[in-house]
Structures are given as structure tokens and as C-alpha cells.
Amino acid sequence: MSLLIRRIALENFRKFRAPHEIAGLTQGLNIVIEPNETGKSTLLEAVRAALFLKHSSTTKLIRSFQPLGDNVGPQVALDFDVAGAPWSLTKRFIKSASVELSGPTGRQQGEAAEQALQALLGFEAGQQGAGFDKTLHGALGMLWVAQTDGLLVEAPSSNLRDLIGATLEGEAGALVGGAAFERIRARIDTQYSAYFTGRAGTPTQRLAAAQKRAIAAAETVAEAERREELLEAAFADLDAARRQLATLRRELENDPDATERTDVLARLETARGAAQQLATRKAENAAATSRLDGLEDLSTRHGAALERQASAQARQATTREQLAELTEGLKTARTHAETTRSALATTLASRDAARTAVTEARALESAMRRRAQIAAAHERLAQVTELEAKRAPLDAALKQAVPAQVLEDLAAAEREVVRHLTLLEADGTRVELVGAQGVTRDGAPLEPGEWTLTRETRIGLPGGGELVLRPSQALAGAQAALDGAQARHSALLAQWQVATLAEAQARAEAAREATRALETLAARILAAAPADRDLNLAAGAQTLRAFIAEHPLEVGEAQAPALPPARSLKELEADQDRADAAFTRAEAQARQAEDDAREAEKARVPLAIDEASAASDLARIGDELTLLAAHPDFADLAATLTAARETAAAASVALQQAEINAQAFDQTALTRRLETFAARRRTAEERQNELKAQIAGLEAKVESDGGKGLAEHAAAAREENEAARAALVRIEEEAEILKLLRATMAEAQAETARSITGPVANRAARHVGRILPGAEPAFGDDLSLSSIRRAGVDEACEQLSKGTQEQLAMLTRLAFADMLLEEGHPVSLILDDPLVYSDDVRLDAMTDLIVEASERMQVILLTCRERAFRHIEATRIKI
């Protein structure tokens, strides 16, 4: 049994403030392709609100349906078929909240209509919060997929699982879940709850109490045994401490380190004398070495200065010869640079004159082009004015529009008048006058014939008598109701200045046609007034009109004057190109001449610097030689240097002998040895004091704990521990038996659940194989898709890519829809912006599956991606 939605009408529902109708929905595939922000998602929310939300509710979700800033009543109307039978639903929220459901069983309003709707479509009533609760919406809650919900691979709701389970009962065999099974399981659960808590299996009540008793008894035994062991350890520690104290006292009275300490002190004095002699020899060696280094440095510096002096003299002579050659070349380069600069000035003047002529010619041509564009703008304004003149009759037709609610009220009033007339015709008294003359009715002559008596009537008889006819009170009330209905009908016709309902409907249809015509006219006006970047003109009729007002066009101004006949723009541009080329050549020649002059100057600069540097070096070297000759040791440097070398050698030999003497004694090691003797005695004295304090504390503890009967307490604790452990073993055996029994029943129920999920997986596998060849879907006990098996490996759904999750969510919905359709449940598919993460190949495969599904049920696809679905054959719906 398929659910077929044929018409959706909205008013005061979010962005749809004015009455708006989407009609023409058919069996099969219906595609609504519109850009973002046009109301596709709002359309789906309106359908869900009309079917699943109570008209009397005022939740936050329902208040969000009101247009922003308006305090009005959102209204939705639906025409739909269920199992081929037509139904009509109108629901209004918040302001004058109401609901009316009409169908084969008649018309119902209020709560009766809500209950009938729930029974018809198989969903539950419930309090909706900030969003739609899909778990209450039955099959349609899963199959009508809002934006982003298509990404979720989720389990069906509990009531939907019941429907699917009933569908598969014949395939899976009898379900474990009968009354006897439930009574047994309830009794086992009651006993199980005395030992464990719910699904977590945490010990509670009897088992927890037994465990606490065993733990407490074990802790008591451990504490008693610990205290007993501590007392025995105190006796042992006291005896050991007394023995250690006696040993320390003997060591302190007979010091074993006294003889060695005296020997170490004597050796330390000898080591200090050797160290003093070593320091003296180091000072003498350092003085001799410093004297030798100074004399050798003086000799080395004098020889190096003589070598630098000879090198500087040779470099100065070479540099002077090269400078004389470069001076003549520099004069020639400067003369050539002056000549090229003069030629460059001449070509610059020619180039400027050519550019001025071209600029003037281009300005004249631009003025001509702008005048032509302004003339074209004047023509477009004429077209816009002609189009705007056609708005008046359309606006007049739009003002004559009769609202849809008024049409419904008129139709209802007519139906009410007809109903009351029919009742009066059926229940009224028929009166007939045959052959009499001179008879009157309520003062007017009465002709022979038949009429229906519905109110008190006075019949005037010949001769002055009068016959009064009075109908029943119920018939009089029916006549009053008819009068009231006719009065309301007439008032509505008079209010909207129409003679009949057909005239009102014609005016409404004319208004709709005028609306469509105005939209077309607005598009044509916008096309006739496009943006013009050259004129800095934005799109729109008002902008165009303001521009024309600022730029009036004189008669004949559209024709721009021609260029001067002497020279055309192309000839002037050719002159400019030739002048630019001549200037470029002259500029390059002048630049090259300048570069040659600079290169000549640059080549001369390093030589001049080298010549000056050589002269400076010679002067500095002469000063250095004079300074070295003034040194007191320079006069007899060779003999003084030989004597210094002999003195340094003798000092080095004496230093080596002193180091040998000093190495025979390690002063640091001797000092460390003395410190070790002192630390050893200090430690022994500190340990003696610690042992005295420890012995005093142990004696006090032994005296205190010795009389508390620790052994008796330990024995009693051991007896209680044995009893508690025995009780715990017995209760744990009872608990494990109940756990095993409960698990066995759960396994039996799970096995049956798996026999249910098998057919679901088989149905889904046919679809999954189309996009994931060789993949096998696996469903959980709650009929949710849990994993995909590929190449022998199970992959959890949440680990798959977003695109694959979206595709699997769609495929499982198709599988469930087919099962529900087979059992005669009302099913349809609404998809809001589906398959946003699919690649091109899978998108084509999924599109084919959707098209195939539309052959079995109605599918409404809301999307903004025209390119992805333009090739599909379907009913195209515009919002």
C-alpha cells in the first residue's frame, strides 16, 4: 500500500507568508530542483508538521513555524491517497488552531481527526520538543529524510522494528517471546536482581552483602595477624638493637684508625713542602719561556717587514703604468656619451609629439563610443517604459484576488445551504392546493400547486376564514438554520463583491495568472535594463531611468563627428610606433655610451686605489722598521736570542724534576683519607645515639602490646573469615546458576533475532551489491546496519567514508520500505538534498536505484544540484 501525496498548500509557514501551493505531484519519481534558500527543506517540515504534530500544541518547534516577526497562525493543507483512497487534511497552528480530515469515511475535526490520522498512517502521538522525534513517526519517520539525516546509518525505532518483525515472522519462524517465555524470564530476572544489577552485572543485595562480609572478615584477620607479627618483630628488633649497641661501644673505646691517622698526617706535611717547590720552578720556567718568545717574535717581525716592503714597491710601479693607459680611453668614452645624449633629446621630442596626437584621436573616438552607448541606453529605457505600461491591468487583477480561505468559506457556506435545503425538503410537510380559487397565503394570492411547509403559514379562505398551518418546532429550527446559512453566504458574497462562488474562483484564478504574468514581466524588465560596465551603470529600471535623466540626448547627438580627414587613428598610431622605436634605439645607444664611460671610470678606480694602497703600505712598513730598530735587544739580537734559549732549557729541566718530586705524594688523597677517619667515628657516635632511642621505643611498645591478648583476637578473626568464605562460595554458586540460565535464554532470543535479521540482510544485499560489489551487510539485533564484510574482513560502518555511510543509509531505508510495502503499510520516500558526498560513479548507481524504487512507491527528491539529476525522467515540480 503506497502513500501518494498529490498537493501541498502552505500559508504563514516560515518564508511562505502568502498562500503557496505545490500541486501536480504524481505516482513515481517527483524532482524539485531549486537553488538554496528557496524553501525545499521548509516544504518537508511543513508536510511532517501537518501529519505528525498536534494542532493544539504550542511547543518551541511549532512556534518556529511562524514567519519571522509575524504573530500569525501557520497553516498547511495536504491532498493525498492511501491505498488508492483520496484524503484531504487541513491543519492550522497557534492562532485559531484547528484540524480537519476528510476522506472515504467522512469528515472529522479536532482530536478525532488527529486520532484518525494516526490510525491511518501508523504513527504515535507524542510531545515534540525543539525538533521532530522520528521514533514516533513510524515508517515515514525513517523514509522521509531531512538534510544531513541521510548521513546517519541508524536503527529503526521500536514501533518500526515491531512492524518489520511481524513482517518477517513467517520467514524466521515462531519468535521466542510468548507469554510463558516472558513469565519465566520475569521470574528469573527478579531472582537475578537479588544478586546482580541489570545489564552491567554488578553484584548487589545478597551477593554484595556476602562479598562485603568476606572482605571485612579477611581484613580483620589480616589486621590481627599484622599486629601479632608486629609484636614478635618488636621483640626481635629489640634484641638486635641491643647487640648492635654493644658492638659500637667496643669500637669507640678501642679506635682501630689511630696509628694510621698519625702516619697520614706526617706524609701530608712532606707533600705540602714538595708542592711549594713545584710552584717556584713553574714561575722560573714561565719567565724564561716568555723572554725567549719575545726575542723570537722580534726577529720574525723584522724579516716579515722587509719582505712586505719589497712587495709594495713592485706593486706601486706596475699600477702607475696601467693608470696611464686607461686615462686616454676614458676621454674617448665621455665624448661619445655627449653625442648620444644629444640624439636622445631629439627623438624624445618626436615621440612626445606622436603620443599627443594619438591621445587626442583616442579621446575623440571614446567620446563617439560613449555617445552611442548613451543613445542605446535611451532605447532600452523606451523598451522598459513600454513593458511597465503593461503592469496596470495586471495590478488591477491582482487587487481583485479572493484569498483561498475565503473560497473555502464560500464553498462551505454553499454546502451548508444545500444541506439545510435538502433536510427541509426531506423532513418538511408537503401541502398541495387543487382547484380552489380566491385562496391566499400570508396575504398573497395562492395559485394551485404543491409546496413544502417549513414555517407558520396563514391560508386565507373564501368568505373571510383563515387556516393557520404550524410545522413542528424541529422543522422551524431547521428553517432558521437555513436562513442563517443563506445570510452568511450572502454576506460573504457581498463582502467580496461577487455574485457567485464561480465568479470568486474566476477572480482568484485571474489573480494567480496576473501574479505569474507580473513575474514574467519583471524578468523582461530586468533583462531590458542590464548592467553596463562602460557607463558604470548598475542593472535595474530605476538606475537606468536616473542615468537617462542625468544624460539627456540631443537631436542627432548619437552620430559622433568623424576624425579629421588628414590623418586616421591608425596612421597616427603607426607614427607613434616609429617614434617609440627611434627613441628606444637612441635611448639604448645613450645608455650604452654612459655604461662605457662608467666602465672606463670603474676600471681606473681599482688601479688608483691600488697605487694609493701601495704608497700607504710603504710608509707604514718604514715606520714599523724604525720602531723595531729602536728595541733595546735589536742591536745584538742573535747573541741575546741564543742565551735566552739556553736559559729556557735549564728552567724546563728543573721544572720536570720538581714535578717528579711532587707526584710522589698525593696531597688530595691524604686529606680525603683523614676526612674518612673523622666521618667514620662521627657516624658511629650518631648510630649509637639512634640505637639508644630505638631501644627505648621498642621496650615501651613490647610493654604496651604484650598484655592485649592479640593471639585470642587473631584466632576469633580466623574463625569468622572461614565462615564468611563458605557463605560467599554458596551464594556465588547460586548467582552463577541464575546468570547462566539468564544468558541461555538471552542466547535463544538472540538466535531468533538473528533469524529475523537474515532476511533483512538478504534484501539489503541486493542493493548494497550495486555500489559495493562482493560486500555483505550485517545487521544488529536492533535491525541497525552494524558492519560491511568485504574480502573476508568486517568493517564497522562508522569507520567507512562519509559518502559510503550516506549510500548505505539510503540502501537500508530502501530495503525496509520494500518490506513494509509488501505488508500493506503506507510508504513513500522523501529525500532532501541526498547523496552530497557521492562520487560520479556511485551517484549514477544510487540514482538508478532511486528510479527503480519510484516504480514501486512515490519518491519526492528535493535538491539544489540541477546538473546531477537533469538527465532523469521524472515529474518536475517548481516551488
Side-chain angles (χ1 to χ4, degrees):
M1 177 173 63
S2 179
L3 170 65
L4 175 59
I5 300 175
R6 296 196 177 277
R7 184 182 71 94
I8 307 169
L10 304 88
E11 183 177 1
N12 294 325
F13 197 98
R14 289 197 178 154
K15 70 176 297 176
F16 296 102
R17 284 182 164 86
H20 200 88
E21 179 178 284
I22 291 86
L25 295 166
T26 63
Q27 179 71 33
L29 182 58
N30 301 264
I31 299 182
V32 180
I33 302 178
E34 296 285 359
N36 293 327
E37 304 291 336
T38 53
K40 300 186 299 298
S41 299
T42 302
L43 197 65
L44 174 56
E45 286 201 73
V47 175
R48 292 200 295 183
L51 295 179
F52 303 134
L53 301 185
K54 285 195 171 186
H55 69 286
S56 58
S57 180
T58 57
T59 63
K60 181 179 179 180
L61 173 61
I62 291 178
R63 290 196 300 273
S64 73
F65 296 154
Q66 291 180 308
L68 188 63
D70 293 349
N71 187 16
V72 295
Q75 180 172 303
V76 184
L78 298 178
D79 290 344
F80 58 94
D81 295 352
V82 177
W87 293 84
S88 178
L89 172 67
T90 302
K91 187 172 289 190
R92 183 182 178 91
F93 300 97
I94 304 176
K95 297 289 185 178
S96 303
S98 63
V99 58
E100 181 175 274
L101 178 66
S102 302
T105 60
R107 186 174 59 177
Q108 302 179 73
Q109 296 179 337
E111 188 61 29
E114 297 281 15
Q115 293 177 2
L117 191 61
Q118 295 168 25
L120 179 65
L121 299 180
F123 65 90
E124 301 178 24
Q127 185 68 26
Q128 308 282 350
F132 288 98
D133 187 355
K134 295 181 292 185
T135 61
L136 302 176
H137 300 167
L140 300 179
M142 169 172 273
L143 302 180
W144 290 0
V145 186
Q147 277 185 345
T148 72
D149 285 353
L151 290 173
L152 303 177
V153 183
E154 55 189 8
S157 61
S158 58
N159 60 348
L160 185 55
R161 287 199 301 273
D162 293 341
L163 287 176
I164 297 172
T167 301
L168 298 175
E169 185 173 357
E171 300 180 31
L175 298 178
V176 178
F181 175 84
E182 293 299 330
R183 285 196 300 273
I184 295 172
R185 186 170 66 177
R187 186 176 302 170
I188 292 174
D189 288 344
T190 301
Q191 296 180 10
Y192 177 84
S193 63
Y195 295 89
F196 299 102
T197 60
R199 295 182 179 179
T202 305
T204 184
Q205 296 183 17
R206 293 187 63 191
L207 180 56
Q211 289 177 342
K212 289 180 181 178
R213 179 188 174 190
I215 292 171
E219 291 174 351
T220 303
V221 167
E223 178 63 21
E225 291 178 347
R226 186 185 66 81
R227 295 181 64 185
E228 193 175 23
E229 290 173 358
L230 288 176
L231 181 59
E232 293 177 358
F235 280 110
D237 292 344
L238 179 59
D239 183 58
R242 285 172 177 170
R243 288 196 301 272
Q244 290 179 16
L245 181 60
T247 302
L248 277 176
R249 283 174 176 171
R250 286 194 302 272
E251 290 179 359
L252 290 173
E253 291 171 358
N254 303 312
D255 188 0
D257 299 329
T259 303
E260 187 179 358
R261 185 185 299 109
T262 302
D263 180 60
V264 169
L265 286 172
R267 294 173 64 192
L268 181 60
E269 288 299 326
T270 304
R272 288 172 179 168
Q276 181 64 38
Q277 187 179 13
L278 176 61
T280 302
R281 296 294 179 265
K282 284 182 177 179
E284 294 173 351
N285 183 68
T289 303
S290 176
R291 170 70 174 166
L292 176 61
D293 291 342
L295 292 173
E296 288 180 343
D297 179 65
L298 179 62
S299 177
T300 302
R301 287 164 59 196
H302 183 262
L306 291 175
E307 291 177 359
R308 292 199 305 273
Q309 186 181 43
S311 175
Q313 289 171 348
R315 190 170 72 250
Q316 186 181 43
T318 302
T319 303
R320 285 176 177 174
E321 293 176 1
Q322 293 175 349
L323 274 174
E325 294 176 0
L326 288 175
T327 301
E328 188 64 28
L330 178 60
K331 291 179 180 179
T332 303
R334 286 176 176 170
T335 303
H336 181 61
E338 289 293 335
T339 303
T340 55
R341 277 197 293 271
S342 176
L344 178 63
T346 302
T347 56
L348 177 62
S350 300
R351 188 194 67 172
D352 291 343
R355 287 185 174 180
T356 301
V358 170
T359 300
E360 292 175 353
R362 286 175 177 169
L364 185 59
E365 183 178 357
S366 176
M368 291 173 54
R369 186 166 54 253
R370 180 172 175 82
R371 281 192 291 272
Q373 291 171 337
I374 293 175
H378 278 268
E379 294 177 1
R380 292 199 300 272
L381 180 61
Q383 295 177 9
V384 169
T385 304
E386 182 180 351
L387 291 172
E388 288 180 340
K390 299 177 181 180
R391 293 177 59 96
L394 297 176
D395 290 336
L398 195 60
K399 291 179 181 179
Q400 295 294 321
V402 178
Q405 185 61 50
V406 173
L407 294 177
E408 293 180 4
D409 292 344
L410 278 171
E414 283 194 0
R415 289 196 297 271
E416 189 176 6
V417 169
V418 170
R419 184 169 64 86
H420 287 305
L421 281 173
T422 303
L423 290 175
L424 286 174
E425 290 292 334
D427 297 338
T429 302
R430 303 297 296 172
V431 179
E432 184 179 7
L433 177 64
V434 179
Q437 298 293 329
V439 180
T440 63
R441 185 175 71 177
D442 295 332
L446 179 62
E447 298 296 330
E450 185 179 11
W451 79 92
T452 302
L453 180 67
T454 60
R455 65 183 70 190
E456 180 179 302
T457 303
R458 294 182 177 273
I459 304 298
L461 302 175
E466 203 174 49
L467 176 64
V468 180
L469 303 177
R470 295 187 179 92
S472 65
Q473 190 66 30
L475 201 60
Q479 180 63 44
L482 174 62
D483 294 341
Q486 290 174 335
R488 287 191 296 273
H489 183 257
S490 300
L492 278 174
L493 293 175
Q495 179 182 354
W496 293 95
Q497 300 179 358
V498 293
T500 63
L501 173 61
E503 182 181 346
Q505 290 173 337
R507 279 170 52 178
E509 181 61 28
R512 281 194 291 270
E513 292 294 333
T515 300
R516 288 191 287 270
L518 284 172
E519 292 175 354
T520 303
L521 192 59
R524 292 179 61 190
I525 291 173
L526 185 61
D532 191 329
R533 186 175 299 176
D534 293 336
L535 295 178
N536 194 21
L537 178 62
Q542 295 300 326
T543 307
L544 178 61
R545 188 172 284 107
F547 178 82
I548 294 303
E550 295 176 0
H551 301 80
L553 192 63
E554 301 295 336
V555 178
E557 189 177 348
Q559 298 177 352
L563 285 171
R567 302 294 300 279
S568 67
L569 177 59
K570 186 175 295 185
E571 292 173 342
L572 292 174
E573 288 176 344
D575 291 345
Q576 178 184 336
D577 291 341
R578 286 191 292 273
D580 287 343
F583 174 77
T584 302
R585 285 193 301 273
E587 187 178 28
Q589 292 171 356
R591 190 181 303 112
Q592 184 61 46
E594 293 286 349
D595 291 344
D596 292 342
R598 281 193 295 271
E599 288 296 328
E601 290 179 353
K602 285 199 293 186
R604 190 177 180 280
V605 169
L607 293 175
I609 293 174
D610 287 345
E611 195 273 337
S613 176
S616 176
D617 289 346
L618 285 172
R620 188 175 65 256
I621 292 169
D623 293 341
E624 185 179 356
L625 289 171
T626 302
L627 183 62
L628 291 174
H631 194 279
D633 293 327
F634 184 77
D636 195 12
L637 180 60
T640 305
L641 184 58
T642 301
R645 286 173 180 158
E646 293 174 354
T647 303
S652 177
V653 171
L655 175 60
Q656 291 177 0
Q657 185 60 43
E659 288 177 345
I660 292 171
N661 295 336
Q663 288 174 357
F665 300 95
D666 190 348
Q667 186 177 352
T668 303
L670 294 172
T671 303
R672 191 182 306 115
R673 186 63 176 161
L674 288 175
E675 291 175 351
T676 300
F677 293 150
R680 186 182 298 167
R681 184 169 183 83
R682 185 171 58 253
T683 303
E685 291 174 349
E686 292 174 355
R687 179 58 179 162
Q688 182 183 23
N689 294 331
E690 291 175 359
L691 287 173
K692 288 179 180 179
Q694 182 180 357
I695 290 170
L698 290 172
E699 289 175 345
K701 180 174 181 60
V702 168
E703 183 179 355
S704 174
D705 292 343
K708 292 183 177 179
L710 295 179
E712 292 80 0
H713 287 302
R718 291 188 187 98
E719 291 178 2
E720 170 59 19
N721 185 41
E722 291 295 331
R725 290 175 60 186
L728 177 60
V729 170
R730 185 180 67 257
I731 292 175
E732 284 179 341
E733 290 177 351
E734 296 173 359
E736 288 301 323
I737 291 172
L738 283 172
K739 182 184 289 187
L740 177 61
L741 182 57
R742 192 167 182 264
T744 301
M745 298 190 70
E747 288 177 1
Q749 192 172 23
E751 180 63 28
T752 303
R754 284 191 290 272
S755 67
I756 292 178
T757 60
V760 176
N762 291 336
R763 284 176 168 84
R766 293 197 296 268
H767 300 318
V768 172
R770 297 277 289 275
I771 64 166
L772 299 173
E776 300 177 1
F779 288 80
D781 294 344
D782 59 352
L783 295 184
S784 65
L785 182 62
S786 58
S787 64
I788 291 294
R789 186 173 185 83
R790 290 189 286 191
V793 178
D794 290 331
E795 301 176 57
C797 288
E798 60 270 13
Q799 296 176 352
L800 300 173
S801 69
K802 287 294 184 185
T804 303
Q805 290 187 48
E806 181 184 37
Q807 294 148 18
L808 292 175
M810 179 82 69
L811 296 176
T812 54
R813 286 184 171 93
L814 288 176
F816 290 138
D818 286 340
M819 284 185 278
L820 294 169
L821 190 64
E822 292 171 5
E823 289 301 313
H825 298 290
V827 169
S828 71
L829 199 60
I830 301 180
L831 307 174
D832 188 3
D833 267 339
L835 306 173
V836 295
Y837 291 102
S838 298
D839 57 45
D840 293 341
V841 174
R842 290 194 181 177
L843 179 61
D844 290 341
M846 291 298 299
T847 303
D848 291 342
L849 287 171
I850 293 174
V851 172
E852 292 173 9
S854 67
E855 297 174 358
R856 304 185 296 273
M857 66 191 79
Q858 184 186 45
V859 178
I860 301 176
L861 195 150
L862 311 169
T863 181
C864 60
R865 298 186 296 159
E866 192 270 340
R867 181 169 24 179
F869 299 98
R870 66 162 66 117
H871 63 285
I872 300 176
E873 294 185 5
T875 301
R876 305 284 172 164
I877 303 297
K878 301 295 290 184
I879 294 183

